[in-house]
């Protein structure tokens, strides 16, 4: 199995997601996505929110301290610019060498920075496929990132499913490739009409 700094994996996933954000046409923001109840705009806003929270949480602030600071419309009149600005801030926040060993204070408890970044990376990677699928783009993910995510998610899948964060694992053929198997683990069958993942997954 390949090894990769999780911060680099996250940066690459965020960059790839951004490519599709820039491809969204004016009439595509309300299109449905594989995430139940989320359209393209809602999906992009989810990633913008995560990106805006990252610098605050990595700086030691707790989710409780942030409160509703980042509630409301995060995209405004220029969703693409909003994403670019938020993503750049998140990437900058990952740069200090000690970030992976910092403590991140989430609502359900404290976790190491490395685990937090890994969760952000995985969420971004899977939502990249969601966005590409929704707008009719090339839905092939970076094979190296798929490998990194697969290795981590093998130990997290059941806890995610028990928490209701992902849908049931759909059947996939024995000869399915690595991306298809990863998407299945996340409750996605590869078809937009099968909205296997509940909101937020």
């Amino acid at each position: 199995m390949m090894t990769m700094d999780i911060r680099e994996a996250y940066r690459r996933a965020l960059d790839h997601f951004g490519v599709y954000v820039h491809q969204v046409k004016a009439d595509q923001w309300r299109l449905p996505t594989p995430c139940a109840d989320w359209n393209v705009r809602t999906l992009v806003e989810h990633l913008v929110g995560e990106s805006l929270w990252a610098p605050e949480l990595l700086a030691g602030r707790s989710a409780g301290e942030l409160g509703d600071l980042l509630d409301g419309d995060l995209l405004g009149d220029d969703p693409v610019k909003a994403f670019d600005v938020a993503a750049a801030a998140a990437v900058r926040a990952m740069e200090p060498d000690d970030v992976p060993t910092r403590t991140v204070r989430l609502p359900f408890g404290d976790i190491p920075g490395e685990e937090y970044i890994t969760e952000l990376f995985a969420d971004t990677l899977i939502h990249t496929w969601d966005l590409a699928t929704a707008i009719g783009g090339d839905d092939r993910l970076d094979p190296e990132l798929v490998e990194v995510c697969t290795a981590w998610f093998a130990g997290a899948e059941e806890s995610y499913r028990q928490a209701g964060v992902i849908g049931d694992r759909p059947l996939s053929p024995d000869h399915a490739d690595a991306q298809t198997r990863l998407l299945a683990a996340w409750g996605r069958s590869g078809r937009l009409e099968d909205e296997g993942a509940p909101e937020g997954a």
Side-chain angles (χ1 to χ4, degrees), residues 16 125-126 128-129 139-144 146 179 182-183:
H16 196 187
L125 180 68
I126 300 303
T128 298
W129 180 85
D139 66 358
R140 298 308 303 175
L141 300 174
D142 183 325
E144 291 183 341
V146 167
Q179 175 173 315
L182 176 63
L183 290 171

Side-chain angles (χ1 to χ4, degrees), residues 10-88:
Y10 174 59
R11 184 194 63 76
R12 283 169 55 175
L14 207 54
D15 283 349
H16 196 187
F17 186 88
V19 168
Y20 292 114
V21 173
H22 280 260
Q23 292 177 8
V24 178
K25 298 179 176 64
D27 61 352
Q28 291 183 316
W29 289 101
R30 300 300 177 185
L31 291 178
T33 75
C35 298
D37 302 325
W38 281 7
N39 60 29
V40 169
R41 184 181 175 93
T42 313
L43 177 62
V44 172
E45 186 167 46
H46 170 67
L47 264 292
V48 168
E50 286 190 336
S51 297
L52 291 174
W53 275 74
E56 303 292 341
L57 293 173
L58 288 171
R61 299 182 71 183
S62 70
E65 288 171 341
L66 291 174
D68 60 359
L69 178 65
L70 299 178
D71 287 353
D73 181 9
L74 302 179
L75 301 185
D77 296 331
D78 193 342
V80 175
K81 181 179 179 180
F83 173 80
D84 287 345
V85 170

Side-chain angles (χ1 to χ4, degrees), residues 103-159:
T103 297
V104 176
R105 301 157 64 195
L106 298 177
F108 53 81
D110 295 351
I111 63 173
E114 183 172 11
E115 178 69 13
Y116 171 63
I117 298 168
T118 303
E119 293 176 3
L120 289 180
F121 152 68
D123 195 57
T124 302
L125 180 68
I126 300 303
H127 284 320
T128 298
W129 180 85
D130 293 334
L131 180 56
T133 299
I135 67 173
D138 179 2
D139 66 358
R140 298 308 303 175
L141 300 174
D142 183 325
E144 291 183 341
L145 299 187
V146 167
E147 183 178 345
V148 172
C149 189
T150 298
W152 170 76
F153 199 58
E157 180 181 351
E158 284 312 307
S159 62

